[in-house]
Amino acid sequence: MNHPFTTLTGPAVPLMRANVDTDVIIRIERLTTLGKDALGPYAFEALRRRPDGSEDADCVLNAPRFRQAPVLLAAENFGCGSSREGAVWALQGIGVRCVIAPSYGDIFWSNCFQNGVLPITLPIAQVQSLAIQCEGGASVTVDLQTCSVAAPDGQLIPFAIDPLRREALLHGLDDIGLTLKDDALIRDWQAADRLRRPWAWPAARSRP
């Protein structure tokens, strides 16, 4: 179970880089030694840290106004590269529950839904406009119930989302949980199919 996603209000950190891959989001060696809940300090390590390990004050992700910002603004092809669910876990570790970008790596996009993170797709011009408005720490409101983003200037920006994906996020479900909502229907079908095709449902053999 994930935490249900209905509405979300908070600062949106503008990381307007194209082709940010999953290895930038979280390095592969961190996934071999750290648990799911310990990845946050290492999210975007190559961007946030200098070679000596100290924080880079010039990185927008380190700005005090964006600490634990729940929304991340990004450019094209965010989350591309290798398939690793840990990239989404790392984002969650720094407080991100929504990413707004023009496009995503396919597997990253799917992993977001499985872990309760909402990836919104908007045209690059709209994302850039949000980035400009939010660079000082202004908040946005993401409303999954109305499928809209309220910008700091008051503009209401609609976004599209697959209805089943939306339902899963609203109820805090992954694909398995969404399927199990129809458990009664599945059991009814199984019972009817046993009558129609008993040969397909062999009785469990008792052990001697």
Side-chain angles (χ1 to χ4, degrees), residues 4 57 61-62 70 77 95 97 99 186 204:
L61 293 161
N62 290 329
N77 204 26
R97 287 214 66 195
V99 182
I186 294 170

Side-chain angles (χ1 to χ4, degrees), residues 178-199:
L178 196 60
T179 300
L180 289 177
K181 286 185 68 178
D182 293 325
D183 182 61
L185 293 175
I186 294 170
R187 291 179 183 275
D188 288 346
W189 180 89
Q190 289 174 328
D193 195 57
R194 283 190 179 96
L195 295 177
R196 287 191 302 267
R197 303 184 307 143
W199 64 89

